[in-house]
């Protein structure tokens, strides 16, 4: 059993969170642990339960069983003002400017409108002037949605597929904004996305979910350490090359595939390997470094479940 101080270190935590729709178990006893300052990536295929979990965090849906805690205090069915969100398409007024949209939400939330200009500057929409939100690009609409989520100055923002359908420039804009808010404003994020390699450019911790069950929580640094790193050396004599390289590293880290010698890890030795082979009369036509990304790690995790 966790003590109070250990529980309070999590800005958001779920305990045995479960949701059924009829006989279908959509979320299966999920225990998530999100620390202040995390950019937490919730990853899983469509229908895995990501959106349902996020909706329960925001009290837009209610658990069949289990609980959600913020700073160790149970969330009891009403939305917490310390949480902002962008779930699916942002709810904006298309006939309003960016400023008018934020003004409307300030009135709705009872917030002074002096906060509008600084937020528009943060999200990069300060220069949109009288342009209506309906004329915005999809990326601009996503940034406006995040601006609306920022109005109540939340400590944590929940984003469900925030870069879905965006072009590369729009994806970069949203990614840069998330990183900026996290670094400069200390905002914690929970983000779902199926674009796993894109998500890896900003996430600090992952939750891997499949069929409603949380398979694993893993820090981005630990995932990087666990990932498979290989050096592919294309050579004129692979057998002799492997024997030579085995004088420098453990033989079990070396294998041969066609005209390539494959070395697991040891990236820092690449120049020495090349020098050794050339000095022994072996022609090295290419040397490629490959790292397993989050997408491959996820696929491996899914494979382990089958």
């Amino acid at each position: 059993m966790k003590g109070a101080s250990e529980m309070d270190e999590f800005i958001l935590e779920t305990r045995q969170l479960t949701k059924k729709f009829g006989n279908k178990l959509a979320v299966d006893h999920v225990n998530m642990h999100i620390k202040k300052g995390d950019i937490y990536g919730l990853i899983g295929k469509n229908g895995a339960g990501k959106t349902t979990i996020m909706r329960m965090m925001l009290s837009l849906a209610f658990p069949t069983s289990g609980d959600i805690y913020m700073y160790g205090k149970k969330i009891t069915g009403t939305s917490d003002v310390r949480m902002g969100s962008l779930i699916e398409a942002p709810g904006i007024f298309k006939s309003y400017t960016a400023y008018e949209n934020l003004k409307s939400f300030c009135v709705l939330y009872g917030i002074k409108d002096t906060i509008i200009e600084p937020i528009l500057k943060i999200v990069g929409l300060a220069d949109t002037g009288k342009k209506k939100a309906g004329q915005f690009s999809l990326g601009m609409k996503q940034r406006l949605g995040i601006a609306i989520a920022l109005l109540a100055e939340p400590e944590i923002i929940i984003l469900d597929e925030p870069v879905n359908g965006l072009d590369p420039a729009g994806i970069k804009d949203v990614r840069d904004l998330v990183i900026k808010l996290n670094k400069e404003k200390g905002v914690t994020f929970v983000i779902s996305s199926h674009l796993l390699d894109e998500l890896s450019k900003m996430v600090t911790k992952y939750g891997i979910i499949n069929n409603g069950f949380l398979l694993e929580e893993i820090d981005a640094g630990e995932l990087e350490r666990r990932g498979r790193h290989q050096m592919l050396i294309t050579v004129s004599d692979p057998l002799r090359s492997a024997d030579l390289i085995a004088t420098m590293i453990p033989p079990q880290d070396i294998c041969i595939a066609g005209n390539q010698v494959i070395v697991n890890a040891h990236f820092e030795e690449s120049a020495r390997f090349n020098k050794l082979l050339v000095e022994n009369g072996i022609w090295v036509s290419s040397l490629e470094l490959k790292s397993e990304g989050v997408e491959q790690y996820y696929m491996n995790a899914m494979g382990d479940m089958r």
Side-chain angles (χ1 to χ4, degrees):
M1 187 71 179
K2 295 176 182 176
S5 61
E6 190 177 352
M7 291 187 294
D8 291 349
E9 71 173 317
F10 301 117
I11 186 171
L12 197 63
E13 180 184 9
T14 71
R15 301 182 198 169
Q16 298 295 304
L17 189 66
T18 301
K19 180 68 174 178
K20 288 184 177 180
F21 294 102
N23 293 323
K24 177 176 171 53
L25 189 60
V27 177
D28 186 0
H29 299 86
V30 166
N31 296 307
M32 291 173 61
H33 309 87
I34 300 154
K35 291 185 178 180
K36 186 170 178 60
D38 276 346
I39 302 177
Y40 187 108
L42 186 60
I43 62 177
K45 60 187 178 183
N46 290 338
K50 305 186 299 296
T51 300
T52 302
I53 290 171
M54 290 178 158
R55 290 178 62 83
M56 287 191 285
M57 287 176 171
L58 295 162
S59 299
L60 298 173
F62 301 98
T64 303
S65 62
D67 299 298
I68 303 168
Y69 292 80
M70 192 165 186
Y71 288 123
K73 185 177 180 181
K74 185 176 175 181
I75 295 175
T76 56
T78 56
S79 182
D80 195 306
V81 295
R82 293 173 294 179
M83 281 195 277
S85 67
L86 179 57
I87 301 291
E88 297 165 349
I92 61 176
F93 299 103
K94 294 182 180 180
S95 61
Y96 287 8
T97 65
Y99 185 95
E100 289 167 345
N101 265 279
L102 294 192
K103 175 78 172 181
S104 298
F105 281 95
C106 282
V107 172
L108 181 64
Y109 298 155
I111 297 169
K112 292 182 179 179
D113 60 14
T114 52
I115 198 171
I116 294 176
E117 291 291 354
I119 287 179
L120 286 175
K121 191 171 291 187
I122 287 170
V123 301
L125 295 176
D127 298 326
T128 54
K130 295 182 179 181
K131 187 174 183 178
K132 306 300 184 185
Q135 299 172 307
F136 286 2
S137 68
L138 186 54
M140 291 170 70
K141 289 176 182 176
Q142 291 294 81
R143 284 187 279 140
L144 181 55
I146 294 173
I148 293 167
L150 286 168
L151 283 173
E153 299 183 291
E155 296 183 44
I156 183 167
I157 294 180
I158 295 173
L159 303 176
D160 187 21
E161 297 280 359
V163 298
N164 193 24
L166 299 186
D167 61 19
I171 290 172
K172 184 180 185 302
D173 284 347
V174 172
R175 181 181 74 229
D176 290 348
L177 178 57
V178 167
I179 294 171
K180 178 181 180 181
L181 290 170
N182 178 258
K183 299 294 185 187
E184 297 181 9
K185 301 294 183 181
V187 179
T188 302
F189 285 90
V190 180
I191 305 175
S192 75
S193 180
H194 66 280
L195 300 176
L196 303 188
D197 283 337
E198 180 58 42
L199 202 62
S200 71
K201 295 174 184 175
M202 55 182 161
V203 163
T204 61
K205 185 177 183 179
Y206 296 93
I208 302 174
I209 189 167
N210 186 48
N211 293 327
F213 182 75
L214 189 68
L215 300 178
E216 183 178 22
E217 288 186 313
I218 181 170
D219 289 337
E222 177 60 24
L223 186 147
E224 174 65 23
R225 285 190 291 274
R226 288 191 199 176
R228 188 177 297 116
H229 306 287
Q230 293 183 327
M231 191 183 315
L232 279 59
I233 310 172
T234 305
V235 291
S236 57
D237 188 340
L239 287 173
R240 187 158 168 259
S241 297
D243 288 341
L244 287 167
I245 292 172
T247 64
M248 299 177 63
I249 63 171
Q252 60 266 29
D253 290 343
I254 306 166
C255 66
I256 296 172
N259 63 343
Q260 288 186 325
V261 177
I262 301 173
V263 179
N264 292 320
H266 303 286
F267 280 12
E268 72 284 356
E269 300 288 359
S270 59
R272 291 182 62 204
F273 293 157
N274 186 67
K275 184 173 182 289
L276 175 68
L277 297 176
V278 171
E279 287 178 345
N280 282 274
I282 293 172
W283 182 263
V284 180
S285 55
S286 71
L287 194 154
E288 179 185 359
L289 306 181
K290 288 183 64 178
S291 293
E292 180 181 89
V294 61
E295 189 162 1
Q296 188 58 50
Y297 187 90
Y298 169 77
M299 294 304 295
N300 291 342
M302 294 299 100
D304 290 342
M305 289 293 294
R306 290 197 287 268

